[in-house]
């Protein structure tokens, strides 16, 4: 078994290039605008190389605070460099499933829930750390049901297998014909259901021919 930090920590430059590919910035900006607000404290779970952090900082402004959390040190180093110019953006090496953070106004997780063994309980915990009327957003990729995206699902499955800490060469090559994205699909669905159970004012939007979905909502009270 390859651990997540071992897998993602191997190629921080490659990962950063993928994370900042043209077009993805629009998804990230939209997610930041949906969860953050001026002056808010926002925690980004599994921030990776910090591709969302500048967008979140743009929204919270100079009076807010943005904290990125990740378990993969080499990615976090990239994130630290990316936000070095801001004095109200910080990154922390920590497990987002067991956070030492007590309160926040908003939580964002992008392309993370598919890696969590029990995403429903983690999303529940994230909702618990929000102040009343706190915002939560989950951006994740799954196979597409869009008529233009559906033909590309075999390619998506290869991408998923190649990006899986425990998929070998055989799984990756046979991915178009199998269901290598089954676990991912299940975890993303579980995380969205957990958010839907806790949050009101929900909005769902898709990007990239239906491969990427952003679900956001407001957690009215944690009582
Ligand atoms: C696919 S990457 C996404 C990175 C970033 N959110 C983005 O959109 O570019 C998944 C990230 O989640 C992090 N991660 C996975 N499980 C985690 C956990 N339990 N706690 C903190 N970070 C975690 C990984 O280290 C990796 O940086």
């Amino acid at each position: 078994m390859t651990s997540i930090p071992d897998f993602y920590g191997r190629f921080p430059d490659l990962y950063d290039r993928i994370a900042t590919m043209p077009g993805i910035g629009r998804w990230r900006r939209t997610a930041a605008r949906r969860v953050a607000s001026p002056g808010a404290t926002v925690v980004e779970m599994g921030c990776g190389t910090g591709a969302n952090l500048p967008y979140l900082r743009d929204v919270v402004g100079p009076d807010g605070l943005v904290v990125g959390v990740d378990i993969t040190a080499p990615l976090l180093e990239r994130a630290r460099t990316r936000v070095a110019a801001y004095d109200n953006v910080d990154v922390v090496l920590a497990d987002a499933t067991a956070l030492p953070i007590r309160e926040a106004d908003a939580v964002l997780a992008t392309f993370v829930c598919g890696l969590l063994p029990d995403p429903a309980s983690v999303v529940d915990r994230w909702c618990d750390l929000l102040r009343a009327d706190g915002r939560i957003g989950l951006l994740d990729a799954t196979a597409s049901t869009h008529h233009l995206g559906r033909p590309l699902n075999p390619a998506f499955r290869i991408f998923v297998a190649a990006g899986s800490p425990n998929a070998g060469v055989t799984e990756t090559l046979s991915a178009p014909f199998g269901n290598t994205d089954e676990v991912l699909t299940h975890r993303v669905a579980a995380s969205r259901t957990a958010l839907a159970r806790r949050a009101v004012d929900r909005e769902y939007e898709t990007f990239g021919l239906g491969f990427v979905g952003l679900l956001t909502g407001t957690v009215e009270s944690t009582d």
Side-chain angles (χ1 to χ4, degrees), residues 27 109-115 137-142 156 184 187-189 191-192 204-207 210-215:
W27 313 344
T110 66
F111 309 113
V112 174
C113 289
L115 293 166
L138 305 175
L139 181 82
D140 288 287
T142 54
F156 173 75
L184 170 80
R187 289 177 176 175
V188 170
S191 66
R192 289 175 179 164
Y204 183 70
E205 182 175 347
T206 61
F207 307 95
F211 283 101
V212 175
L214 171 65
L215 179 64

Short mmCIF file of all heavy atoms in Angstrom, two decimals, residues 27 109-115 137-142 156 184 187-189 191-192 204-207 210-215:
data_model
loop_
_atom_site.label_atom_id
_atom_site.label_comp_id
_atom_site.label_asym_id
_atom_site.label_seq_id
_atom_site.Cartn_x
_atom_site.Cartn_y
_atom_site.Cartn_z
N TRP A 27 -12.97 27.05 -12.04
CA TRP A 27 -13.66 26.21 -11.06
C TRP A 27 -13.25 26.65 -9.66
O TRP A 27 -14.08 26.74 -8.74
CB TRP A 27 -13.30 24.73 -11.20
CG TRP A 27 -13.32 24.17 -12.59
CD1 TRP A 27 -13.92 24.73 -13.69
CD2 TRP A 27 -12.71 22.96 -13.03
NE1 TRP A 27 -13.71 23.92 -14.77
CE2 TRP A 27 -12.99 22.82 -14.41
CE3 TRP A 27 -11.97 21.96 -12.39
CZ2 TRP A 27 -12.54 21.75 -15.16
CZ3 TRP A 27 -11.53 20.88 -13.13
CH2 TRP A 27 -11.81 20.77 -14.51
N ALA A 109 -13.05 21.91 0.30
CA ALA A 109 -12.20 20.75 -0.03
C ALA A 109 -12.36 20.47 -1.51
O ALA A 109 -13.48 20.24 -1.98
CB ALA A 109 -12.61 19.53 0.79
N THR A 110 -11.27 20.51 -2.26
CA THR A 110 -11.35 20.26 -3.70
C THR A 110 -10.53 19.02 -4.06
O THR A 110 -9.35 18.95 -3.75
CB THR A 110 -10.89 21.49 -4.52
OG1 THR A 110 -9.51 21.74 -4.31
CG2 THR A 110 -11.69 22.74 -4.14
N PHE A 111 -11.17 18.06 -4.69
CA PHE A 111 -10.54 16.81 -5.13
C PHE A 111 -9.91 16.05 -3.96
O PHE A 111 -8.83 15.49 -4.09
CB PHE A 111 -9.50 17.09 -6.23
CG PHE A 111 -10.04 17.93 -7.35
CD1 PHE A 111 -9.58 19.22 -7.58
CD2 PHE A 111 -11.06 17.44 -8.16
CE1 PHE A 111 -10.10 20.00 -8.61
CE2 PHE A 111 -11.59 18.21 -9.19
CZ PHE A 111 -11.11 19.50 -9.42
N VAL A 112 -10.59 16.06 -2.83
CA VAL A 112 -10.08 15.42 -1.62
C VAL A 112 -11.00 14.29 -1.15
O VAL A 112 -10.54 13.23 -0.73
CB VAL A 112 -9.90 16.46 -0.48
CG1 VAL A 112 -9.50 15.79 0.82
CG2 VAL A 112 -8.86 17.50 -0.87
N CYS A 113 -12.32 14.49 -1.24
CA CYS A 113 -13.26 13.53 -0.63
C CYS A 113 -13.10 12.12 -1.20
O CYS A 113 -13.31 11.14 -0.48
CB CYS A 113 -14.69 14.02 -0.77
SG CYS A 113 -14.98 15.44 0.32
N GLY A 114 -12.70 12.00 -2.45
CA GLY A 114 -12.51 10.69 -3.06
C GLY A 114 -11.34 9.92 -2.46
O GLY A 114 -11.19 8.73 -2.71
N LEU A 115 -10.51 10.61 -1.67
CA LEU A 115 -9.36 9.94 -1.05
C LEU A 115 -9.64 9.53 0.39
O LEU A 115 -8.82 8.87 1.02
CB LEU A 115 -8.15 10.89 -1.05
CG LEU A 115 -7.57 11.25 -2.42
CD1 LEU A 115 -6.62 12.44 -2.30
CD2 LEU A 115 -6.84 10.05 -3.00
N GLY A 137 -18.00 23.88 1.00
CA GLY A 137 -18.00 23.58 -0.43
C GLY A 137 -17.13 22.37 -0.73
O GLY A 137 -16.03 22.24 -0.18
N LEU A 138 -17.66 21.48 -1.56
CA LEU A 138 -16.92 20.29 -1.99
C LEU A 138 -16.88 20.27 -3.51
O LEU A 138 -17.93 20.28 -4.16
CB LEU A 138 -17.61 19.01 -1.49
CG LEU A 138 -17.89 18.90 0.01
CD1 LEU A 138 -18.69 17.62 0.31
CD2 LEU A 138 -16.60 18.94 0.82
N LEU A 139 -15.67 20.27 -4.05
CA LEU A 139 -15.49 20.21 -5.51
C LEU A 139 -14.81 18.87 -5.83
O LEU A 139 -13.74 18.59 -5.28
CB LEU A 139 -14.61 21.37 -5.97
CG LEU A 139 -14.32 21.49 -7.46
CD1 LEU A 139 -15.48 22.18 -8.18
CD2 LEU A 139 -13.05 22.30 -7.71
N ASP A 140 -15.45 18.06 -6.65
CA ASP A 140 -14.89 16.74 -6.93
C ASP A 140 -15.18 16.32 -8.36
O ASP A 140 -16.13 16.79 -8.97
CB ASP A 140 -15.51 15.70 -5.97
CG ASP A 140 -14.99 15.88 -4.56
OD1 ASP A 140 -13.83 15.53 -4.33
OD2 ASP A 140 -15.73 16.42 -3.71
N ALA A 141 -14.35 15.39 -8.82
CA ALA A 141 -14.54 14.86 -10.18
C ALA A 141 -15.09 13.44 -10.11
O ALA A 141 -14.65 12.64 -9.27
CB ALA A 141 -13.21 14.85 -10.93
N THR A 142 -16.05 13.14 -10.97
CA THR A 142 -16.57 11.78 -11.14
C THR A 142 -16.84 11.58 -12.64
O THR A 142 -16.78 12.55 -13.40
CB THR A 142 -17.90 11.57 -10.37
OG1 THR A 142 -18.82 12.58 -10.79
CG2 THR A 142 -17.73 11.61 -8.87
N PHE A 156 -11.37 9.23 -18.59
CA PHE A 156 -11.45 9.69 -17.20
C PHE A 156 -11.02 8.56 -16.24
O PHE A 156 -10.30 8.78 -15.28
CB PHE A 156 -12.88 10.14 -16.87
CG PHE A 156 -13.08 10.47 -15.42
CD1 PHE A 156 -12.57 11.65 -14.88
CD2 PHE A 156 -13.75 9.59 -14.58
CE1 PHE A 156 -12.74 11.95 -13.52
CE2 PHE A 156 -13.92 9.88 -13.24
CZ PHE A 156 -13.42 11.06 -12.71
N LEU A 184 -14.12 5.87 -5.92
CA LEU A 184 -14.20 7.34 -5.99
C LEU A 184 -15.65 7.80 -6.06
O LEU A 184 -16.08 8.69 -5.30
CB LEU A 184 -13.44 7.83 -7.24
CG LEU A 184 -13.63 9.30 -7.60
CD1 LEU A 184 -12.74 10.18 -6.73
CD2 LEU A 184 -13.31 9.58 -9.06
N ARG A 187 -17.39 7.37 -2.74
CA ARG A 187 -16.94 8.32 -1.70
C ARG A 187 -17.45 9.74 -1.97
O ARG A 187 -17.87 10.43 -1.05
CB ARG A 187 -15.41 8.32 -1.61
CG ARG A 187 -14.88 7.03 -1.01
CD ARG A 187 -13.37 7.02 -1.01
NE ARG A 187 -12.85 5.83 -0.34
CZ ARG A 187 -11.57 5.52 -0.28
NH1 ARG A 187 -10.67 6.31 -0.85
NH2 ARG A 187 -11.17 4.44 0.34
N VAL A 188 -17.41 10.13 -3.24
CA VAL A 188 -17.88 11.49 -3.56
C VAL A 188 -19.38 11.59 -3.27
O VAL A 188 -19.86 12.56 -2.68
CB VAL A 188 -17.56 11.86 -5.03
CG1 VAL A 188 -18.25 13.15 -5.44
CG2 VAL A 188 -16.05 11.98 -5.22
N ALA A 189 -20.12 10.54 -3.64
CA ALA A 189 -21.57 10.54 -3.38
C ALA A 189 -21.83 10.61 -1.88
O ALA A 189 -22.70 11.35 -1.41
CB ALA A 189 -22.21 9.29 -3.98
N SER A 191 -19.92 11.87 0.44
CA SER A 191 -19.58 13.19 0.98
C SER A 191 -20.67 14.21 0.65
O SER A 191 -21.04 15.05 1.47
CB SER A 191 -18.22 13.66 0.45
OG SER A 191 -18.28 13.88 -0.94
N ARG A 192 -21.22 14.11 -0.57
CA ARG A 192 -22.28 15.04 -0.97
C ARG A 192 -23.56 14.80 -0.18
O ARG A 192 -24.25 15.75 0.20
CB ARG A 192 -22.55 14.92 -2.48
CG ARG A 192 -21.40 15.49 -3.31
CD ARG A 192 -21.61 15.27 -4.79
NE ARG A 192 -20.50 15.85 -5.55
CZ ARG A 192 -20.22 15.56 -6.82
NH1 ARG A 192 -20.98 14.70 -7.49
NH2 ARG A 192 -19.21 16.13 -7.44
N TYR A 204 -25.66 23.36 -6.60
CA TYR A 204 -24.80 22.38 -7.27
C TYR A 204 -24.55 22.85 -8.68
O TYR A 204 -25.47 23.25 -9.39
CB TYR A 204 -25.45 20.99 -7.28
CG TYR A 204 -24.57 19.94 -7.90
CD1 TYR A 204 -23.42 19.51 -7.24
CD2 TYR A 204 -24.88 19.39 -9.15
CE1 TYR A 204 -22.59 18.55 -7.82
CE2 TYR A 204 -24.05 18.43 -9.72
CZ TYR A 204 -22.91 18.03 -9.05
OH TYR A 204 -22.08 17.08 -9.61
N GLU A 205 -23.28 22.83 -9.08
CA GLU A 205 -22.92 23.30 -10.41
C GLU A 205 -21.88 22.35 -10.99
O GLU A 205 -21.03 21.85 -10.25
CB GLU A 205 -22.31 24.70 -10.27
CG GLU A 205 -21.94 25.35 -11.57
CD GLU A 205 -21.45 26.79 -11.38
OE1 GLU A 205 -21.64 27.34 -10.28
OE2 GLU A 205 -20.87 27.34 -12.31
N THR A 206 -21.95 22.09 -12.28
CA THR A 206 -20.93 21.22 -12.88
C THR A 206 -20.06 22.01 -13.85
O THR A 206 -20.48 23.05 -14.39
CB THR A 206 -21.56 20.02 -13.62
OG1 THR A 206 -22.38 20.51 -14.68
CG2 THR A 206 -22.37 19.14 -12.69
N PHE A 207 -18.87 21.49 -14.06
CA PHE A 207 -17.89 22.10 -14.96
C PHE A 207 -17.27 20.99 -15.81
O PHE A 207 -17.44 19.80 -15.50
CB PHE A 207 -16.75 22.77 -14.18
CG PHE A 207 -17.18 23.73 -13.13
CD1 PHE A 207 -17.32 23.32 -11.82
CD2 PHE A 207 -17.45 25.05 -13.44
CE1 PHE A 207 -17.70 24.21 -10.83
CE2 PHE A 207 -17.84 25.95 -12.46
CZ PHE A 207 -17.97 25.53 -11.15
N GLY A 210 -19.24 18.10 -17.34
CA GLY A 210 -19.94 17.30 -16.33
C GLY A 210 -19.02 16.42 -15.50
O GLY A 210 -19.51 15.64 -14.66
N PHE A 211 -17.71 16.51 -15.68
CA PHE A 211 -16.80 15.67 -14.89
C PHE A 211 -16.57 16.23 -13.49
O PHE A 211 -16.19 15.50 -12.58
CB PHE A 211 -15.44 15.52 -15.60
CG PHE A 211 -15.49 14.56 -16.75
CD1 PHE A 211 -15.56 15.01 -18.05
CD2 PHE A 211 -15.49 13.19 -16.52
CE1 PHE A 211 -15.62 14.12 -19.11
CE2 PHE A 211 -15.56 12.29 -17.57
CZ PHE A 211 -15.63 12.76 -18.88
N VAL A 212 -16.77 17.51 -13.33
CA VAL A 212 -16.46 18.14 -12.04
C VAL A 212 -17.73 18.77 -11.48
O VAL A 212 -18.46 19.46 -12.20
CB VAL A 212 -15.36 19.21 -12.23
CG1 VAL A 212 -15.10 19.98 -10.95
CG2 VAL A 212 -14.07 18.55 -12.71
N GLY A 213 -18.01 18.49 -10.21
CA GLY A 213 -19.20 19.05 -9.58
C GLY A 213 -18.83 19.81 -8.32
O GLY A 213 -17.96 19.38 -7.55
N LEU A 214 -19.48 20.94 -8.14
CA LEU A 214 -19.27 21.76 -6.94
C LEU A 214 -20.59 21.82 -6.17
O LEU A 214 -21.59 22.31 -6.68
CB LEU A 214 -18.85 23.18 -7.34
CG LEU A 214 -18.79 24.23 -6.22
CD1 LEU A 214 -17.70 23.89 -5.20
CD2 LEU A 214 -18.53 25.63 -6.81
N LEU A 215 -20.56 21.30 -4.95
CA LEU A 215 -21.74 21.38 -4.08
C LEU A 215 -21.40 22.29 -2.91
O LEU A 215 -20.37 22.10 -2.23
CB LEU A 215 -22.11 19.98 -3.55
CG LEU A 215 -23.32 19.93 -2.61
CD1 LEU A 215 -24.61 20.36 -3.32
CD2 LEU A 215 -23.51 18.50 -2.05
#
